[in-house]
Amino acid sequence: MSNHNQIEQVRARGIVVQVVLWLTLAASGAVNSVGSFMGWDSIYRLGAGGVGVLCIVLLIAFYLKRRSR
């Protein structure tokens, strides 16, 4: 396997991870907004908020890593 193929595989995995992070961020936002209307216990909404913050931090880290190349 050439070095070019390895780089393409790493980029493809990075894109998949970013898409999953964006979808998870959207889902956590949906859980927060639906949970407040439905009267869900705050522990679920806090958990979703924590997941959302984690996704934001990881997305920023991916952006900074890609920008430094």
Side-chain angles (χ1 to χ4, degrees), residues 6-60:
Q6 290 175 341
I7 291 172
E8 290 300 320
Q9 286 180 347
V10 168
R11 285 184 184 161
R13 282 188 293 226
I15 291 171
V16 169
V17 169
Q18 287 179 345
V19 168
V20 168
L21 285 172
W22 277 110
L23 291 174
T24 305
L25 179 62
S28 69
V31 166
N32 261 330
S33 58
V34 168
S36 65
F37 287 119
M38 299 292 288
W40 291 352
D41 193 21
S42 62
I43 191 73
Y44 299 118
R45 295 185 357 240
L46 285 173
V51 169
V53 169
L54 179 64
C55 288
I56 291 170
V57 168
L58 290 174
L59 284 166
I60 291 171

